[in-house]
Amino acid sequence: MAEEKKEIGTGFITEVDRYLFNNGKHYEIYEKLGAHPRTYNKEEGMYFAVWAPHAKQIGVVGDFNGWNPDENPMTCLADSGIWEAFVPGLSTGALYKYAITTESGKLLFKADPYAFEAEYRPQTASVTADLSGYEWNDTSWMAKRKKADPMDGPVSIYEVHLGSWRKKNRDEKDGYYTYVEAAHELSDYVEQMGYTHVELLGIAEHPYDGSWGYQVTGYFAPTSRYGTAKEFMYFVDYMHQKGIGVILDWVPAHFPKDAHGLSDFDGKPCYEYSDPRKGEHPDWGTKVFDYSKYEVDNFLIANALYWVEKFHVDGLRVDAVASMLYLDYGRSDGEWVPNKHGRNENLEAIEFFKHLNSIIKDRGNGAMVIAEESTAWPKVTDDPKNDGLGFTFKWNMGWMHDFLEYMKLDPYFRKYNHHKMTFGLTYFTSEKYILVLSHDEVVHLKCSMIEKMPGLLEDKFSNLKVGYTFMLGHPGKKLLFMGQDFGQFHEWDEKTALDWYLADEPLGKDLKDYVRDLLHLYKEYPALYERDYDWEGFSWINANDSEQSIFSFVRYSKDKKDSLLFVLNFTPVERKNYRAGVPKKGSYHLVLNESHGLYQPEDKAPAVPSEEKEWDGKNYSIACPLKPYGVAVYRFKG
């Protein structure tokens, strides 16, 4: 009977399924591998399937069979490395693992790589779940997303760690908000502030809080810290109903060595490279995915599509891209293996990215894929047909570094570092960039954003206001980490909530209201987003006023109806007689400054007529008095 089952199997995984998976092209393999409610031989139960090509024997174990490896043995489907078993009478909510006997006879207990849910940490079992039956209410959002082009739309991202954004005063589950609770409170805040998207750190299941979700053991399981898989569906659904997109951080670069995870899954390197010079990150103590294996590529690409299509997420921010592209990343001489050309590019990872991004684009669902790539690797956001990697956007780490180095300086020394703020405008069209001030910049003794600023307390807040205004005007989409918009003083700590009381203090409230005004200004004026990667969308008025540390520039809309002039003073010195050149004759309407914030129509914003007085190489100019750390943004026609 056993031999007959080995030949025929249950039929749930077909020969076509096995062929596609073993060739890296079964993009819905999560519907086959893992645990799924099924009816077999007229009995209802749970079907299990796992890829473990080196295993000698496998049994499904759990709270339903006393964790006995012999109670529910699995059968290997010939020539595929896939094992399967059907457990009659079993339903959702059961705890389980795979008891894998290796070729050497060692017994391993592994969580299911394709599990849809996981046990609450520190426990490590997988949980049987059924994702069918959720009724989505975001049809209009998904239809709009499918047609939209994020390149010429507003994208302002609020980066969030759910576990520390807010906490409830309770001991249950560490005080975490559930996905449902967070959906309501977070969407209210994001909607009020004017962000277009939230980006969530660490949603895939991970054992260690301090990894922030970047060392994953359950790639298909939304972390149980905040609830169930269907409750996470509710989170995304509710955000969409409130007009807010959801981006997830995604980690195809590496995985931890925890005993229940992917490391040496069936007793041998399975998901990772077998050569430790390629298969391990020395600095991180983690394993590297083997992108030469079709089944591993299939696991990752199907996982990306799983979040996009099953959970309707609007984008994936791919972590640690550089570590995947370079074979010598974080490695000394003798610790890495050159490619077949004798160079340091990981050719398999490059092909993986081209495959991943091509498939997501070809599915036509409008999802973004964002590269956190920290080097000058070329064509990250170019089409794979042009030998690009195919990402939608790339984090602009160079801009972030230059911006923060400039902002940290005592204002007296800024005139000697003026180029740090202008350099980003020499290459802003080379990739499709997102300007980021992320969680990585406010941890590990780097100081919070407000504490990076020079001067006394009020100076710090004034610095941030003018700095954020420069960021808003600079071409590229935007990202701020939670707490940066109201002046969180402490470095971010995943164990504690943000100091929300600061948002009600005078300086914190003023900063938060000002950032809100910036974000609403951003969405109101297409000049700030629809030509982010077009030389015609940006023009300097004066990039060289280093002595006064003042920058002036224009952002143009496509129709030239409402363009914006920015004049920004990065010193605590008042410039009562400052004059700025303007592109044309006409009236320049003040729409935002540092003290009033955003002018509404009923506020009767001041209109400044141009004068026929040559300035900054222009035939016309306006008087533009600037207060210390003064900001002036003007609207004009043309």
Side-chain angles (χ1 to χ4, degrees):
M1 184 67 182
E3 288 298 319
E4 181 182 359
K5 188 173 182 182
K6 188 171 184 178
E7 294 283 335
I8 299 173
T10 62
F12 292 131
I13 291 182
T14 67
E15 186 176 347
V16 172
D17 291 327
R18 299 198 296 271
Y19 174 81
L20 291 173
F21 175 63
N22 292 145
N23 285 275
K25 296 182 179 180
H26 197 316
Y27 303 123
E28 290 81 30
I29 190 61
Y30 55 82
E31 301 283 12
K32 298 289 185 166
L33 298 182
H36 303 276
R38 294 283 188 269
T39 300
Y40 180 61
N41 287 340
K42 300 182 179 180
E43 287 190 275
E44 293 184 355
M46 193 68 62
Y47 173 76
F48 297 90
V50 64
W51 179 63
H54 309 112
K56 183 178 181 181
Q57 183 176 324
I58 307 179
V60 182
V61 298
D63 57 0
F64 50 88
N65 65 8
W67 303 92
N68 182 354
D70 299 321
E71 187 72 20
N72 297 105
M74 303 187 80
T75 301
C76 185
L77 301 177
D79 301 322
S80 67
I82 295 174
W83 298 68
E84 68 168 5
F86 179 77
V87 181
L90 190 60
S91 60
T92 58
L95 303 179
Y96 74 99
K97 285 186 176 181
Y98 296 117
I100 300 175
T101 303
T102 71
E103 290 179 351
S104 66
K106 185 177 180 180
L107 185 62
L108 307 175
F109 290 87
K110 293 285 189 176
D112 187 349
Y114 287 85
F116 293 152
E117 291 184 4
E119 195 175 10
Y120 192 83
R121 64 100 178 92
Q123 305 306 317
T124 58
S126 300
V127 181
T128 58
D130 183 2
L131 299 189
S132 64
Y134 181 83
E135 295 185 7
W136 290 89
N137 296 285
D138 63 348
T139 304
S140 60
W141 172 274
M142 296 297 284
K144 180 181 176 182
R145 185 182 91 181
K146 189 173 183 178
K147 296 178 181 178
D149 183 356
M151 297 302 164
D152 58 12
V155 179
S156 54
I157 302 167
Y158 185 54
E159 189 187 32
V160 176
H161 178 261
L162 278 185
S164 57
W165 181 69
R166 289 188 189 271
K167 283 184 180 287
K168 300 197 75 173
N169 294 323
R170 63 183 187 194
D171 294 328
E172 179 189 358
K173 290 196 171 182
D174 304 287
Y176 292 140
Y177 275 65
T178 66
Y179 291 120
V180 174
E181 292 167 337
H184 292 261
E185 293 216 20
L186 182 57
S187 65
D188 285 347
Y189 183 78
V190 170
E191 185 177 35
Q192 172 203 2
M193 290 297 291
Y195 295 100
T196 63
H197 293 73
V198 296
E199 179 179 318
L200 302 180
L201 276 66
I203 290 302
E205 192 59 80
H206 52 283
Y208 177 50
D209 293 357
S211 78
W212 311 331
Y214 293 113
Q215 295 194 11
V216 179
T217 51
Y219 274 80
F220 288 83
T223 178
S224 56
R225 288 167 176 80
Y226 318 124
T228 66
K230 284 188 176 178
E231 287 171 337
F232 183 61
M233 288 180 175
Y234 177 91
F235 175 93
V236 178
D237 194 9
Y238 191 83
M239 286 288 176
H240 286 173
Q241 293 173 61
K242 300 282 276 189
I244 301 163
V246 179
I247 300 167
L248 298 188
D249 280 4
W250 188 60
V251 193
H254 63 133
F255 55 89
K257 298 179 182 178
D258 294 68
H260 68 287
L262 298 178
S263 178
D264 293 318
F265 185 75
D266 53 10
K268 290 185 175 181
C270 184
Y271 286 87
E272 66 268 46
Y273 285 108
S274 57
D275 188 334
R277 294 175 296 171
K278 291 182 72 173
E280 295 196 27
H281 277 301
D283 291 343
W284 299 342
T286 54
K287 295 292 188 79
V288 181
F289 282 105
D290 184 348
Y291 311 105
S292 70
K293 292 178 182 173
Y294 289 134
E295 295 88 350
V296 173
D297 287 354
N298 202 151
F299 171 80
L300 291 169
I301 293 172
N303 183 245
L305 291 170
Y306 169 79
W307 293 111
V308 167
E309 297 179 355
K310 294 292 284 188
F311 288 86
H312 292 197
V313 303
D314 303 284
L316 299 171
R317 175 265 193 185
V318 184
D319 183 65
V321 169
S323 75
M324 300 171 64
L325 293 174
Y326 297 96
L327 293 165
D328 58 349
Y329 186 93
R331 297 173 174 88
S332 303
D333 290 344
E335 293 181 343
W336 63 282
V337 183
N339 64 29
K340 62 184 180 181
H341 305 297
R343 299 199 297 263
N344 67 342
E345 304 97 335
N346 188 330
L347 302 178
E348 295 147 2
I350 293 168
E351 289 306 311
F352 165 77
F353 281 133
K354 291 179 178 181
H355 186 183
L356 166 75
N357 291 320
S358 296
I359 290 298
I360 290 180
K361 183 178 180 180
D362 290 348
R363 304 283 271 217
N365 51 43
M368 302 179 286
V369 190
I370 303 165
E372 190 250 331
E373 202 284 309
S374 55
T375 75
W377 188 279
K379 297 186 176 183
V380 171
T381 55
D382 205 346
D383 195 298
K385 295 176 182 177
N386 299 324
D387 202 31
L389 297 182
F391 284 94
T392 317
F393 295 114
K394 172 181 173 174
W395 274 22
N396 195 335
M397 312 291 278
W399 173 87
M400 175 273 297
H401 177 79
D402 289 343
F403 175 82
L404 291 180
E405 287 300 306
Y406 181 88
M407 293 303 299
K408 290 180 204 175
L409 291 170
D410 183 297
Y412 177 81
F413 296 104
R414 285 177 175 167
K415 59 187 174 184
Y416 306 115
N417 293 268
H418 200 72
H419 66 283
K420 289 187 182 297
M421 296 291 266
T422 60
F423 182 59
L425 279 307
T426 66
Y427 63 84
F428 75 90
T429 62
S430 64
E431 298 280 6
K432 307 300 190 298
Y433 285 116
I434 298 178
L435 308 184
V436 294
L437 295 174
S438 75
H439 67 280
D440 277 330
E441 308 320 313
V442 292
V443 292
H444 302 325
L445 302 179
K446 295 177 186 175
C447 297
S448 66
M449 199 59 62
I450 194 72
E451 288 285 36
K452 294 179 194 293
M453 299 299 109
L456 300 175
L457 187 61
E458 290 190 4
D459 292 323
K460 290 178 179 292
F461 282 88
S462 296
N463 267 284
L464 266 190
K465 288 169 78 171
V466 66
Y468 287 160
T469 311
F470 181 87
M471 178 183 184
L472 179 94
H474 192 295
K477 310 310 180 185
K478 325 295 177 189
L479 178 145
L480 283 179
F481 183 56
M482 63 184 196
Q484 294 176 358
D485 50 12
F486 63 76
Q488 169 81 12
F489 276 93
H490 292 294
E491 279 194 338
W492 173 53
D493 181 351
E494 81 282 349
K495 297 184 291 296
T496 59
L498 297 180
D499 294 327
W500 282 101
Y501 72 89
L502 293 172
D504 296 322
E505 298 285 336
L507 288 173
K509 184 179 186 305
D510 179 64
L511 177 61
K512 181 171 74 72
D513 291 347
Y514 186 78
V515 173
R516 177 202 63 201
D517 287 354
L518 287 177
L519 292 168
H520 283 277
L521 178 76
Y522 175 67
K523 291 199 292 187
E524 182 177 349
Y525 289 95
L528 293 174
Y529 57 77
E530 66 180 5
R531 303 179 80 174
D532 273 326
Y533 315 108
D534 178 357
W535 283 108
E536 299 297 318
F538 175 90
S539 177
W540 282 112
I541 296 297
N542 192 337
N544 301 309
D545 192 356
S546 58
E547 189 61 34
Q548 300 185 90
S549 295
I550 294 175
F551 302 86
S552 52
F553 56 86
V554 172
R555 293 296 306 274
Y556 291 103
S557 61
K558 285 182 178 178
D559 58 16
K560 297 290 185 75
K561 288 183 178 178
D562 277 319
S563 297
L564 295 174
L565 166 67
F566 285 73
V567 187
L568 309 176
N569 177 15
F570 280 84
T571 72
V573 180
E574 187 173 13
R575 310 293 183 183
K576 292 182 179 180
N577 300 313
Y578 197 78
R579 179 167 289 273
V582 294
K584 59 177 290 187
K585 180 181 179 180
S587 293
Y588 289 76
H589 297 264
L590 187 67
V591 293
L592 180 137
N593 67 16
E594 79 291 337
S595 55
H596 184 279
L598 182 63
Y599 282 87
Q600 303 296 335
E602 62 270 17
D603 293 335
K604 298 180 180 178
V608 182
S610 65
E611 302 174 49
E612 196 170 348
K613 182 179 291 189
E614 187 175 349
W615 210 266
D616 294 329
K618 308 295 182 184
N619 293 327
Y620 295 90
S621 59
I622 61 172
C624 183
L626 293 171
K627 292 182 178 180
Y629 299 114
V631 166
V633 182
Y634 299 92
R635 171 181 57 83
F636 67 97
K637 300 294 182 183

